[in-house]
């Protein structure tokens, strides 16, 4: 049994490594492994990577699930009778997400009303707490069952776990299953649920939890394969806390770096470079092009992005004002391989940390500023 915690930079090949290790583990045809990731998009990314590495098909010994499907099918449903009643089976239907945020559950722990709706759905905020409760009431049968099924469990996007998720993870780390946890605390843009418990040891603080354990090995891979040095340096500026990331990507094009352009020139720029348009959220005003929110593009890679900055991001770019919650912004600026262009209403005459330049688009030269990256 070996527990490994992998702290990975954006674009470091985390999903590739998980899938490669899982395929190696099941090569003997005996072992069965589980890969758990937070979102449906993450599940699709893992499935795609498994196919790439396995001649175009999924492997029958590798099970891929989202976090909540794992909780429901592997921990709660098999032992639901410990909360629904001794003779009750197949009572639980699914997960209720309607009360995930802004709701406080005052029901007493260990009571059915704390975990279940009247319709028989599990409250999402209490799902992992219920799993821990059922494991305790059953005398450890949940963990025992998982040990019988899986030799290894891989948890991707570990920074998205919260509350009692960590308590369940503790039980797994102490089990006979080899656990591998992968993630990047700088990309803690989501959480599985709204929880006060373990708040100081989850999300961007998740590594504080792991460093206090003596049954794990911590590995760091802070070298990105995705983006160039210009973008890498800018990303470290966006999220300056913690270990800085590096890059081993050395591909070049005729348009590399981080740029500021005037909004009146966006159409020229878009027609020339076809960037993916990104924004913080739907409140950010953009032009006519389809945009994706920062939090929704986590795990994606684009050649180029065009960012419409919101108020805080504009203040960061123009005045160097620190971002209070940099996680989503960090996700946004670590998506592209070659270039980022920020859209500003008006370009300044001079700006610290940037140099004036021109971007040639056909027969037109548009004025711009280019971020001066560290070497």
């Amino acid at each position: 049994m070996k527990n490994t915690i992998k702290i990975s930079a954006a674009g470091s090949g985390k999903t590739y490594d998980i899938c490669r290790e899982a395929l190696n583990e099941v090569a003997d045809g005996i072992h069965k492994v589980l890969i758990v990731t937070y979102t449906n998009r993450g599940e699709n990314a893992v499935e795609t990577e498994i196919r790439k590495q396995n001649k175009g098909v999924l492997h029958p010994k590798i099970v891929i699930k989202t976090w909540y499907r794992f909780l429901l099918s592997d921990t709660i449903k098999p032992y639901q009778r410990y909360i629904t009643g001794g003779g009750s089976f197949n009572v639980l239907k699914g997960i209720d997400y309607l009360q995930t945020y802004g709701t406080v559950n005052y029901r007493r722990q260990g009571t059915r009303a704390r975990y279940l709706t009247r319709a028989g759905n599990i409250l999402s905020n209490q799902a992992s707490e219920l799993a821990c409760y059922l494991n305790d009431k059953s005398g450890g049968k949940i963990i025992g069952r998982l040990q019988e099924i899986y030799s290894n469990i891989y948890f991707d996007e570990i920074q998205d776990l919260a509350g009692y998720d960590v308590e369940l993870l503790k039980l797994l780390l102490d089990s006979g299953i080899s656990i591998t946890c992968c993630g990047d605390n700088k990309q803690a843009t989501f959480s599985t649920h709204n929880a006060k418990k373990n708040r100081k040891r989850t999300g961007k603080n998740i590594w504080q939890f792991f460093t206090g354990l003596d049954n794990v090995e911590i590995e760091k891979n802070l070298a990105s394969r995705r983006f160039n040095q210009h973008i890498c340096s800018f990303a470290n500026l966006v999220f300056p806390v913690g270990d800085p990331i590096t890059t081993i990507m050395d591909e070049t094009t005729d348009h590399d770096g981080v740029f500021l352009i005037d909004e009146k020139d966006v159409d020229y720029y878009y027609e020339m470079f076809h960037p993916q348009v990104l924004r913080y959220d739907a409140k950010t005003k953009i032009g006519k092009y389809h945009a994706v929110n920062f939090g929704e593009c986590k795990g994606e890679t684009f050649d180029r992005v065009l960012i419409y900055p919101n108020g805080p991001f504009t203040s960061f770019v123009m005045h160097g004002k620190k971002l209070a919650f940099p996680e989503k912004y960090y996700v946004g600026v670590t998506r592209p391989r070659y270039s980022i262009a920020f859209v500003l209403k008006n370009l300044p005459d001079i700006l610290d940390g940037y140099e004036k330049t021109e971007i040639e688009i056909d027969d037109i030269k548009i004025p711009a500023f280019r971020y001066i990256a560290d070497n």
Side-chain angles (χ1 to χ4, degrees):
M1 185 271 292
K2 177 184 177 183
N3 297 325
T4 306
I5 312 303
K6 297 186 177 185
I7 303 173
S8 304
S12 62
K14 166 171 61 69
T15 302
Y16 172 87
D17 289 342
I18 288 175
C19 295
R20 182 193 59 193
E21 290 181 18
L23 285 166
N24 287 339
E25 183 65 26
V26 300
D28 60 6
I30 300 173
H31 293 94
K32 188 174 185 179
V33 306
L34 172 65
I35 302 177
V36 180
T37 189
Y38 175 44
T39 63
N40 290 327
R41 180 172 290 188
E43 182 181 27
N44 292 336
V46 172
E47 289 180 352
T48 299
E49 187 58 42
I50 289 291
R51 288 191 176 97
K52 284 182 180 178
Q53 298 186 34
N54 194 48
K55 301 179 180 179
V57 297
L58 296 175
H59 196 288
K61 291 286 186 177
I62 298 177
V63 180
I64 306 165
K65 295 184 179 183
T66 62
W67 174 255
Y68 278 109
R69 192 151 66 90
F70 161 65
L71 289 180
L72 188 63
S73 62
D74 276 316
T75 71
I76 297 174
K77 273 197 169 185
Y79 299 98
Q80 60 185 286
R81 63 190 178 88
Y82 288 97
I83 192 67
T84 60
S88 300
F89 296 94
N90 298 321
V91 174
L92 304 185
K93 297 180 174 64
I95 304 290
D96 186 311
Y97 300 98
L98 297 178
Q99 302 180 46
T100 301
Y101 299 103
T103 303
V104 179
N105 190 332
Y106 293 104
R107 302 289 186 174
R108 184 166 55 87
Q109 288 185 322
T111 62
R112 176 171 175 154
R114 179 169 177 81
Y115 308 111
L116 309 179
T117 66
R118 292 181 180 179
N121 291 313
I122 303 157
L123 294 169
S124 59
N125 278 356
Q126 274 67 52
S128 53
E129 179 185 329
L130 176 57
C132 292
Y133 173 78
L134 294 177
N135 186 69
D136 181 62
K137 293 296 289 184
S138 65
K141 288 184 178 180
I142 288 178
I143 301 301
R145 177 179 179 273
L146 290 171
Q147 288 181 153
E148 292 178 359
I149 299 174
Y150 305 113
S151 62
N152 297 62
I153 300 180
Y154 299 85
F155 290 98
D156 195 13
E157 305 294 359
I158 198 70
Q159 73 277 353
D160 293 330
L161 300 188
Y164 266 90
D165 300 344
V166 172
E167 302 303 314
L168 180 58
L169 190 57
K170 280 183 187 177
L171 295 174
L172 290 167
L173 290 170
D174 287 332
S175 73
I177 309 169
S178 291
I179 303 297
T180 302
C181 297
C182 305
D184 179 1
N185 61 324
K186 294 186 178 185
Q187 296 189 67
T189 58
F190 295 111
S191 63
T192 54
H193 62 286
N194 186 27
K196 291 184 178 179
K197 187 177 182 64
N198 289 318
R199 184 168 290 178
K200 294 183 178 180
R201 297 190 297 168
T202 55
K204 64 183 179 182
N205 301 315
I206 188 70
W207 311 122
Q208 295 181 19
F209 162 65
F210 291 124
T211 54
L213 302 178
D214 57 8
N215 60 346
V216 301
E217 294 181 8
I218 297 180
E219 299 177 357
K220 291 185 179 182
N221 181 5
L222 302 178
S224 178
R225 306 172 189 171
R226 176 183 294 151
F227 40 74
N228 57 41
Q229 183 59 52
H230 306 280
I231 294 171
C232 182
S233 296
F234 191 79
N236 284 327
L237 195 66
V238 169
F239 205 134
V241 179
D243 296 322
I245 60 173
T246 60
T247 180
I248 55 175
M249 198 282 262
D250 57 4
E251 296 178 39
T252 60
T253 72
D254 293 334
H255 182 65
D256 295 334
V258 180
F259 300 87
L260 311 180
I261 65 172
D262 196 296
E263 65 178 356
K264 66 180 175 58
D265 296 318
V266 165
D267 288 345
Y268 295 118
Y269 188 90
Y270 189 90
E271 289 302 314
M272 179 66 180
F273 297 109
H274 302 289
Q276 173 62 56
V277 180
L278 301 180
R279 64 186 178 186
Y280 183 82
D281 58 23
K283 296 177 182 178
T284 307
K285 293 182 179 180
I286 63 169
K288 62 185 179 182
Y289 302 106
H290 171 70
V292 177
N293 295 346
F294 289 161
E296 295 173 355
C297 66
K298 184 162 65 172
E300 301 281 356
T301 298
F302 310 106
D303 283 348
R304 308 183 187 282
V305 302
L306 181 74
I307 294 177
Y308 280 82
N310 61 0
F313 215 3
T314 300
S315 295
F316 168 80
V317 171
M318 297 293 291
H319 310 295
K321 187 174 181 181
K322 181 181 178 181
L323 294 163
F325 302 100
E327 291 84 0
K328 284 188 179 181
Y329 302 100
Y330 179 83
V331 168
V333 302
T334 55
R335 296 310 94 198
R337 294 186 177 94
Y338 307 115
S339 66
I340 302 171
F342 287 94
V343 181
L344 301 179
K345 289 185 177 180
N346 295 290
L347 289 179
D349 293 327
I350 190 170
L351 189 61
D352 288 343
Y354 296 80
E355 60 184 0
K356 277 189 174 182
T357 187
E358 290 180 327
I359 300 173
E360 294 190 21
I361 299 175
D362 294 330
D363 296 329
I364 299 171
K365 293 182 179 181
I366 66 171
F369 277 86
R370 186 171 187 265
Y371 171 67
I372 303 171
D374 297 329
N375 293 324

